[in-house]
mmCIF file of all heavy atoms in Angstrom:
data_model
loop_
_atom_site.group_PDB
_atom_site.id
_atom_site.type_symbol
_atom_site.label_atom_id
_atom_site.label_comp_id
_atom_site.label_asym_id
_atom_site.label_seq_id
_atom_site.Cartn_x
_atom_site.Cartn_y
_atom_site.Cartn_z
ATOM 1 N N PRO Z 19 -78.957 -50.706 -53.194
ATOM 2 C CA PRO Z 19 -79.808 -49.537 -52.935
ATOM 3 C C PRO Z 19 -79.329 -48.710 -51.744
ATOM 4 O O PRO Z 19 -79.505 -47.490 -51.717
ATOM 5 C CB PRO Z 19 -81.183 -50.166 -52.649
ATOM 6 C CG PRO Z 19 -81.134 -51.495 -53.319
ATOM 7 C CD PRO Z 19 -79.716 -51.958 -53.184
ATOM 8 N N SER Z 20 -78.712 -49.372 -50.776
ATOM 9 C CA SER Z 20 -78.230 -48.651 -49.592
ATOM 10 C C SER Z 20 -77.135 -47.654 -49.963
ATOM 11 O O SER Z 20 -77.065 -46.557 -49.394
ATOM 12 C CB SER Z 20 -77.702 -49.638 -48.546
ATOM 13 O OG SER Z 20 -78.742 -50.441 -48.033
ATOM 14 N N SER Z 21 -76.282 -48.027 -50.921
ATOM 15 C CA SER Z 21 -75.224 -47.107 -51.358
ATOM 16 C C SER Z 21 -75.822 -45.864 -52.000
ATOM 17 O O SER Z 21 -75.346 -44.741 -51.774
ATOM 18 C CB SER Z 21 -74.294 -47.805 -52.357
ATOM 19 O OG SER Z 21 -73.592 -48.853 -51.747
ATOM 20 N N VAL Z 22 -76.869 -46.054 -52.798
ATOM 21 C CA VAL Z 22 -77.537 -44.927 -53.440
ATOM 22 C C VAL Z 22 -78.161 -44.014 -52.385
ATOM 23 O O VAL Z 22 -78.025 -42.791 -52.431
ATOM 24 C CB VAL Z 22 -78.617 -45.427 -54.421
ATOM 25 C CG1 VAL Z 22 -79.366 -44.252 -55.036
ATOM 26 C CG2 VAL Z 22 -77.978 -46.270 -55.522
ATOM 27 N N ALA Z 23 -78.834 -44.624 -51.404
ATOM 28 C CA ALA Z 23 -79.478 -43.842 -50.343
ATOM 29 C C ALA Z 23 -78.442 -43.088 -49.509
ATOM 30 O O ALA Z 23 -78.658 -41.925 -49.138
ATOM 31 C CB ALA Z 23 -80.308 -44.761 -49.452
ATOM 32 N N LEU Z 24 -77.320 -43.733 -49.236
ATOM 33 C CA LEU Z 24 -76.271 -43.087 -48.450
ATOM 34 C C LEU Z 24 -75.711 -41.865 -49.159
ATOM 35 O O LEU Z 24 -75.476 -40.822 -48.537
ATOM 36 C CB LEU Z 24 -75.144 -44.081 -48.163
ATOM 37 C CG LEU Z 24 -75.346 -45.020 -46.975
ATOM 38 C CD1 LEU Z 24 -74.289 -46.105 -46.973
ATOM 39 C CD2 LEU Z 24 -75.320 -44.240 -45.671
ATOM 40 N N ALA Z 25 -75.481 -41.991 -50.447
ATOM 41 C CA ALA Z 25 -74.941 -40.868 -51.214
ATOM 42 C C ALA Z 25 -75.895 -39.681 -51.161
ATOM 43 O O ALA Z 25 -75.468 -38.529 -50.968
ATOM 44 C CB ALA Z 25 -74.687 -41.290 -52.653
ATOM 45 N N LYS Z 26 -77.184 -39.943 -51.306
ATOM 46 C CA LYS Z 26 -78.176 -38.868 -51.257
ATOM 47 C C LYS Z 26 -78.268 -38.271 -49.863
ATOM 48 O O LYS Z 26 -78.379 -37.053 -49.695
ATOM 49 C CB LYS Z 26 -79.540 -39.407 -51.696
ATOM 50 C CG LYS Z 26 -79.621 -39.816 -53.159
ATOM 51 C CD LYS Z 26 -81.001 -40.360 -53.506
ATOM 52 C CE LYS Z 26 -81.082 -40.759 -54.967
ATOM 53 N NZ LYS Z 26 -82.408 -41.330 -55.312
ATOM 54 N N ALA Z 27 -78.211 -39.137 -48.836
ATOM 55 C CA ALA Z 27 -78.312 -38.662 -47.454
ATOM 56 C C ALA Z 27 -77.114 -37.791 -47.081
ATOM 57 O O ALA Z 27 -77.270 -36.754 -46.415
ATOM 58 C CB ALA Z 27 -78.417 -39.847 -46.506
ATOM 59 N N ARG Z 28 -75.932 -38.183 -47.504
ATOM 60 C CA ARG Z 28 -74.736 -37.393 -47.195
ATOM 61 C C ARG Z 28 -74.813 -36.023 -47.863
ATOM 62 O O ARG Z 28 -74.388 -35.016 -47.277
ATOM 63 C CB ARG Z 28 -73.486 -38.139 -47.659
ATOM 64 C CG ARG Z 28 -73.185 -39.383 -46.828
ATOM 65 C CD ARG Z 28 -72.103 -40.238 -47.463
ATOM 66 N NE ARG Z 28 -71.843 -41.447 -46.694
ATOM 67 C CZ ARG Z 28 -71.062 -42.442 -47.094
ATOM 68 N NH1 ARG Z 28 -70.454 -42.347 -48.273
ATOM 69 N NH2 ARG Z 28 -70.874 -43.504 -46.338
ATOM 70 N N GLU Z 29 -75.358 -35.994 -49.064
ATOM 71 C CA GLU Z 29 -75.522 -34.711 -49.745
ATOM 72 C C GLU Z 29 -76.511 -33.822 -48.991
ATOM 73 O O GLU Z 29 -76.293 -32.614 -48.855
ATOM 74 C CB GLU Z 29 -76.011 -34.953 -51.177
ATOM 75 C CG GLU Z 29 -76.110 -33.675 -52.013
ATOM 76 C CD GLU Z 29 -76.514 -33.955 -53.455
ATOM 77 O OE1 GLU Z 29 -76.510 -35.130 -53.861
ATOM 78 O OE2 GLU Z 29 -76.832 -32.984 -54.165
ATOM 79 N N LEU Z 30 -77.572 -34.419 -48.489
ATOM 80 C CA LEU Z 30 -78.555 -33.659 -47.709
ATOM 81 C C LEU Z 30 -77.919 -33.101 -46.439
ATOM 82 O O LEU Z 30 -78.143 -31.937 -46.075
ATOM 83 C CB LEU Z 30 -79.744 -34.552 -47.348
ATOM 84 C CG LEU Z 30 -80.705 -34.895 -48.487
ATOM 85 C CD1 LEU Z 30 -81.682 -35.981 -48.057
ATOM 86 C CD2 LEU Z 30 -81.470 -33.647 -48.939
ATOM 87 N N VAL Z 31 -77.124 -33.932 -45.754
ATOM 88 C CA VAL Z 31 -76.460 -33.482 -44.528
ATOM 89 C C VAL Z 31 -75.506 -32.333 -44.831
ATOM 90 O O VAL Z 31 -75.442 -31.337 -44.097
ATOM 91 C CB VAL Z 31 -75.709 -34.651 -43.859
ATOM 92 C CG1 VAL Z 31 -74.834 -34.136 -42.708
ATOM 93 C CG2 VAL Z 31 -76.694 -35.686 -43.339
ATOM 94 N N ASP Z 32 -74.762 -32.455 -45.929
ATOM 95 C CA ASP Z 32 -73.819 -31.401 -46.317
ATOM 96 C C ASP Z 32 -74.539 -30.072 -46.579
ATOM 97 O O ASP Z 32 -73.954 -29.000 -46.420
ATOM 98 C CB ASP Z 32 -73.047 -31.804 -47.571
ATOM 99 C CG ASP Z 32 -72.035 -32.910 -47.295
ATOM 100 O OD1 ASP Z 32 -71.695 -33.114 -46.112
ATOM 101 O OD2 ASP Z 32 -71.595 -33.575 -48.252
ATOM 102 N N ASN Z 33 -75.802 -30.172 -46.989
ATOM 103 C CA ASN Z 33 -76.591 -28.968 -47.278
ATOM 104 C C ASN Z 33 -77.472 -28.550 -46.103
ATOM 105 O O ASN Z 33 -78.408 -27.775 -46.270
ATOM 106 C CB ASN Z 33 -77.466 -29.200 -48.520
ATOM 107 C CG ASN Z 33 -76.647 -29.293 -49.794
ATOM 108 O OD1 ASN Z 33 -75.728 -28.499 -50.013
ATOM 109 N ND2 ASN Z 33 -76.948 -30.265 -50.638
ATOM 110 N N GLY Z 34 -77.151 -29.069 -44.910
ATOM 111 C CA GLY Z 34 -77.882 -28.681 -43.713
ATOM 112 C C GLY Z 34 -79.279 -29.249 -43.598
ATOM 113 O O GLY Z 34 -80.138 -28.673 -42.927
ATOM 114 N N LYS Z 35 -79.521 -30.377 -44.256
ATOM 115 C CA LYS Z 35 -80.859 -30.979 -44.248
ATOM 116 C C LYS Z 35 -80.832 -32.354 -43.583
ATOM 117 O O LYS Z 35 -81.258 -33.363 -44.151
ATOM 118 C CB LYS Z 35 -81.396 -31.093 -45.676
ATOM 119 C CG LYS Z 35 -81.539 -29.749 -46.381
ATOM 120 C CD LYS Z 35 -82.051 -29.918 -47.807
ATOM 121 C CE LYS Z 35 -82.216 -28.571 -48.501
ATOM 122 N NZ LYS Z 35 -82.697 -28.723 -49.908
ATOM 123 N N ALA Z 36 -80.344 -32.375 -42.342
ATOM 124 C CA ALA Z 36 -80.239 -33.640 -41.616
ATOM 125 C C ALA Z 36 -81.595 -34.324 -41.416
ATOM 126 O O ALA Z 36 -81.680 -35.552 -41.546
ATOM 127 C CB ALA Z 36 -79.554 -33.413 -40.274
ATOM 128 N N PRO Z 37 -82.674 -33.589 -41.076
ATOM 129 C CA PRO Z 37 -83.975 -34.269 -40.905
ATOM 130 C C PRO Z 37 -84.421 -35.020 -42.157
ATOM 131 O O PRO Z 37 -84.951 -36.133 -42.075
ATOM 132 C CB PRO Z 37 -84.934 -33.110 -40.585
ATOM 133 C CG PRO Z 37 -84.060 -32.071 -39.963
ATOM 134 C CD PRO Z 37 -82.765 -32.160 -40.715
ATOM 135 N N GLN Z 38 -84.179 -34.409 -43.331
ATOM 136 C CA GLN Z 38 -84.537 -35.082 -44.581
ATOM 137 C C GLN Z 38 -83.653 -36.315 -44.805
ATOM 138 O O GLN Z 38 -84.117 -37.325 -45.333
ATOM 139 C CB GLN Z 38 -84.405 -34.124 -45.758
ATOM 140 C CG GLN Z 38 -85.446 -33.017 -45.794
ATOM 141 C CD GLN Z 38 -85.003 -31.768 -45.043
ATOM 142 O OE1 GLN Z 38 -84.256 -31.850 -44.075
ATOM 143 N NE2 GLN Z 38 -85.446 -30.616 -45.515
ATOM 144 N N ALA Z 39 -82.383 -36.216 -44.381
ATOM 145 C CA ALA Z 39 -81.475 -37.362 -44.514
ATOM 146 C C ALA Z 39 -81.942 -38.511 -43.626
ATOM 147 O O ALA Z 39 -81.918 -39.679 -44.041
ATOM 148 C CB ALA Z 39 -80.057 -36.947 -44.139
ATOM 149 N N ILE Z 40 -82.377 -38.180 -42.422
ATOM 150 C CA ILE Z 40 -82.891 -39.208 -41.509
ATOM 151 C C ILE Z 40 -84.125 -39.875 -42.100
ATOM 152 O O ILE Z 40 -84.264 -41.104 -42.072
ATOM 153 C CB ILE Z 40 -83.231 -38.585 -40.134
ATOM 154 C CG1 ILE Z 40 -81.941 -38.171 -39.418
ATOM 155 C CG2 ILE Z 40 -84.030 -39.562 -39.280
ATOM 156 C CD1 ILE Z 40 -82.167 -37.428 -38.123
ATOM 157 N N GLU Z 41 -84.999 -39.070 -42.673
ATOM 158 C CA GLU Z 41 -86.209 -39.614 -43.293
ATOM 159 C C GLU Z 41 -85.869 -40.537 -44.462
ATOM 160 O O GLU Z 41 -86.455 -41.620 -44.616
ATOM 161 C CB GLU Z 41 -87.098 -38.461 -43.773
ATOM 162 C CG GLU Z 41 -88.421 -38.912 -44.383
ATOM 163 C CD GLU Z 41 -89.274 -37.736 -44.835
ATOM 164 O OE1 GLU Z 41 -88.902 -36.579 -44.568
ATOM 165 O OE2 GLU Z 41 -90.337 -37.996 -45.447
ATOM 166 N N LEU Z 42 -84.910 -40.108 -45.276
ATOM 167 C CA LEU Z 42 -84.521 -40.902 -46.443
ATOM 168 C C LEU Z 42 -83.913 -42.236 -46.018
ATOM 169 O O LEU Z 42 -84.275 -43.298 -46.554
ATOM 170 C CB LEU Z 42 -83.528 -40.104 -47.275
ATOM 171 C CG LEU Z 42 -83.097 -40.670 -48.636
ATOM 172 C CD1 LEU Z 42 -82.672 -39.541 -49.559
ATOM 173 C CD2 LEU Z 42 -81.954 -41.672 -48.501
ATOM 174 N N LEU Z 43 -82.997 -42.207 -45.053
ATOM 175 C CA LEU Z 43 -82.341 -43.435 -44.607
ATOM 176 C C LEU Z 43 -83.312 -44.356 -43.876
ATOM 177 O O LEU Z 43 -83.212 -45.585 -43.985
ATOM 178 C CB LEU Z 43 -81.153 -43.099 -43.709
ATOM 179 C CG LEU Z 43 -79.985 -42.384 -44.385
ATOM 180 C CD1 LEU Z 43 -78.882 -42.086 -43.377
ATOM 181 C CD2 LEU Z 43 -79.425 -43.221 -45.538
ATOM 182 N N THR Z 44 -84.235 -43.768 -43.140
ATOM 183 C CA THR Z 44 -85.242 -44.574 -42.445
ATOM 184 C C THR Z 44 -86.102 -45.336 -43.448
ATOM 185 O O THR Z 44 -86.391 -46.523 -43.274
ATOM 186 C CB THR Z 44 -86.139 -43.683 -41.570
ATOM 187 O OG1 THR Z 44 -85.334 -43.037 -40.570
ATOM 188 C CG2 THR Z 44 -87.217 -44.515 -40.867
ATOM 189 N N LYS Z 45 -86.487 -44.657 -44.513
ATOM 190 C CA LYS Z 45 -87.281 -45.298 -45.568
ATOM 191 C C LYS Z 45 -86.481 -46.395 -46.249
ATOM 192 O O LYS Z 45 -87.008 -47.486 -46.530
ATOM 193 C CB LYS Z 45 -87.727 -44.261 -46.591
ATOM 194 C CG LYS Z 45 -88.617 -44.828 -47.687
ATOM 195 C CD LYS Z 45 -89.080 -43.738 -48.652
ATOM 196 C CE LYS Z 45 -89.968 -44.318 -49.752
ATOM 197 N NZ LYS Z 45 -90.420 -43.266 -50.706
ATOM 198 N N ALA Z 46 -85.192 -46.127 -46.511
ATOM 199 C CA ALA Z 46 -84.343 -47.122 -47.166
ATOM 200 C C ALA Z 46 -84.151 -48.358 -46.298
ATOM 201 O O ALA Z 46 -83.961 -49.465 -46.808
ATOM 202 C CB ALA Z 46 -82.989 -46.513 -47.504
ATOM 203 N N ASN Z 47 -84.208 -48.181 -44.988
ATOM 204 C CA ASN Z 47 -84.009 -49.290 -44.062
ATOM 205 C C ASN Z 47 -85.293 -50.068 -43.800
ATOM 206 O O ASN Z 47 -85.268 -51.108 -43.154
ATOM 207 C CB ASN Z 47 -83.449 -48.764 -42.729
ATOM 208 C CG ASN Z 47 -83.050 -49.873 -41.789
ATOM 209 O OD1 ASN Z 47 -82.288 -50.768 -42.148
ATOM 210 N ND2 ASN Z 47 -83.573 -49.844 -40.563
ATOM 211 N N THR Z 48 -86.409 -49.573 -44.312
ATOM 212 C CA THR Z 48 -87.690 -50.222 -44.054
ATOM 213 C C THR Z 48 -87.814 -51.569 -44.757
ATOM 214 O O THR Z 48 -88.293 -52.548 -44.182
ATOM 215 C CB THR Z 48 -88.858 -49.308 -44.498
ATOM 216 O OG1 THR Z 48 -88.770 -48.077 -43.776
ATOM 217 C CG2 THR Z 48 -90.198 -49.956 -44.210
ATOM 218 N N SER Z 49 -87.389 -51.612 -46.012
ATOM 219 C CA SER Z 49 -87.467 -52.872 -46.774
ATOM 220 C C SER Z 49 -86.206 -53.046 -47.606
ATOM 221 O O SER Z 49 -86.235 -52.973 -48.836
ATOM 222 C CB SER Z 49 -88.701 -52.879 -47.672
ATOM 223 O OG SER Z 49 -88.709 -51.748 -48.531
ATOM 224 N N PRO Z 50 -85.056 -53.240 -46.938
ATOM 225 C CA PRO Z 50 -83.786 -53.325 -47.664
ATOM 226 C C PRO Z 50 -83.562 -54.701 -48.285
ATOM 227 O O PRO Z 50 -84.268 -55.665 -47.986
ATOM 228 C CB PRO Z 50 -82.760 -53.070 -46.560
ATOM 229 C CG PRO Z 50 -83.399 -53.700 -45.352
ATOM 230 C CD PRO Z 50 -84.871 -53.414 -45.496
ATOM 231 N N LEU Z 51 -82.568 -54.771 -49.158
ATOM 232 C CA LEU Z 51 -82.128 -56.065 -49.662
ATOM 233 C C LEU Z 51 -81.204 -56.679 -48.601
ATOM 234 O O LEU Z 51 -80.205 -56.054 -48.224
ATOM 235 C CB LEU Z 51 -81.363 -55.913 -50.968
ATOM 236 C CG LEU Z 51 -82.175 -55.472 -52.194
ATOM 237 C CD1 LEU Z 51 -81.250 -55.284 -53.385
ATOM 238 C CD2 LEU Z 51 -83.266 -56.477 -52.520
ATOM 239 N N PRO Z 52 -81.511 -57.863 -48.100
ATOM 240 C CA PRO Z 52 -80.708 -58.467 -47.025
ATOM 241 C C PRO Z 52 -79.230 -58.622 -47.378
ATOM 242 O O PRO Z 52 -78.378 -58.573 -46.501
ATOM 243 C CB PRO Z 52 -81.377 -59.833 -46.808
ATOM 244 C CG PRO Z 52 -82.764 -59.663 -47.320
ATOM 245 C CD PRO Z 52 -82.644 -58.719 -48.488
ATOM 246 N N ASP Z 53 -78.947 -58.830 -48.672
ATOM 247 C CA ASP Z 53 -77.558 -59.058 -49.080
ATOM 248 C C ASP Z 53 -76.866 -57.793 -49.565
ATOM 249 O O ASP Z 53 -75.780 -57.853 -50.153
ATOM 250 C CB ASP Z 53 -77.496 -60.127 -50.179
ATOM 251 C CG ASP Z 53 -78.304 -59.745 -51.420
ATOM 252 O OD1 ASP Z 53 -79.117 -58.800 -51.330
ATOM 253 O OD2 ASP Z 53 -78.127 -60.400 -52.477
ATOM 254 N N ASP Z 54 -77.468 -56.642 -49.315
ATOM 255 C CA ASP Z 54 -76.872 -55.370 -49.732
ATOM 256 C C ASP Z 54 -75.622 -55.112 -48.894
ATOM 257 O O ASP Z 54 -75.710 -54.970 -47.669
ATOM 258 C CB ASP Z 54 -77.884 -54.235 -49.536
ATOM 259 C CG ASP Z 54 -77.432 -52.925 -50.174
ATOM 260 O OD1 ASP Z 54 -76.211 -52.693 -50.259
ATOM 261 O OD2 ASP Z 54 -78.306 -52.147 -50.590
ATOM 262 N N PRO Z 55 -74.438 -55.036 -49.519
ATOM 263 C CA PRO Z 55 -73.203 -54.865 -48.747
ATOM 264 C C PRO Z 55 -73.111 -53.546 -47.992
ATOM 265 O O PRO Z 55 -72.356 -53.431 -47.025
ATOM 266 C CB PRO Z 55 -72.106 -54.970 -49.815
ATOM 267 C CG PRO Z 55 -72.783 -54.603 -51.098
ATOM 268 C CD PRO Z 55 -74.174 -55.120 -50.965
ATOM 269 N N ALA Z 56 -73.874 -52.535 -48.433
ATOM 270 C CA ALA Z 56 -73.808 -51.226 -47.775
ATOM 271 C C ALA Z 56 -74.862 -51.063 -46.680
ATOM 272 O O ALA Z 56 -74.931 -50.012 -46.041
ATOM 273 C CB ALA Z 56 -73.979 -50.111 -48.804
ATOM 274 N N LEU Z 57 -75.677 -52.092 -46.433
ATOM 275 C CA LEU Z 57 -76.740 -51.975 -45.433
ATOM 276 C C LEU Z 57 -76.219 -51.716 -44.016
ATOM 277 O O LEU Z 57 -76.765 -50.852 -43.318
ATOM 278 C CB LEU Z 57 -77.614 -53.231 -45.460
ATOM 279 C CG LEU Z 57 -78.795 -53.256 -44.498
ATOM 280 C CD1 LEU Z 57 -79.717 -52.060 -44.718
ATOM 281 C CD2 LEU Z 57 -79.580 -54.563 -44.655
ATOM 282 N N PRO Z 58 -75.166 -52.408 -43.549
ATOM 283 C CA PRO Z 58 -74.645 -52.105 -42.210
ATOM 284 C C PRO Z 58 -74.195 -50.648 -42.075
ATOM 285 O O PRO Z 58 -74.433 -50.017 -41.040
ATOM 286 C CB PRO Z 58 -73.464 -53.070 -42.062
ATOM 287 C CG PRO Z 58 -73.819 -54.219 -42.944
ATOM 288 C CD PRO Z 58 -74.487 -53.572 -44.139
ATOM 289 N N ARG Z 59 -73.562 -50.095 -43.122
ATOM 290 C CA ARG Z 59 -73.123 -48.702 -43.057
ATOM 291 C C ARG Z 59 -74.328 -47.768 -43.017
ATOM 292 O O ARG Z 59 -74.323 -46.766 -42.297
ATOM 293 C CB ARG Z 59 -72.221 -48.386 -44.259
ATOM 294 C CG ARG Z 59 -71.808 -46.915 -44.391
ATOM 295 C CD ARG Z 59 -71.050 -46.392 -43.174
ATOM 296 N NE ARG Z 59 -69.809 -47.043 -42.947
ATOM 297 C CZ ARG Z 59 -68.659 -46.727 -43.535
ATOM 298 N NH1 ARG Z 59 -68.610 -45.747 -44.415
ATOM 299 N NH2 ARG Z 59 -67.552 -47.373 -43.242
#
């Protein structure tokens, strides 16, 4: 799930929507899968 969230967040940043990207990543980090390989990134 972290990889999916990252892809969406990067797209938001590219479109000048950093606050929305922060909100999206913050939500994704609230209840992540512990074994998600993309979680550290």
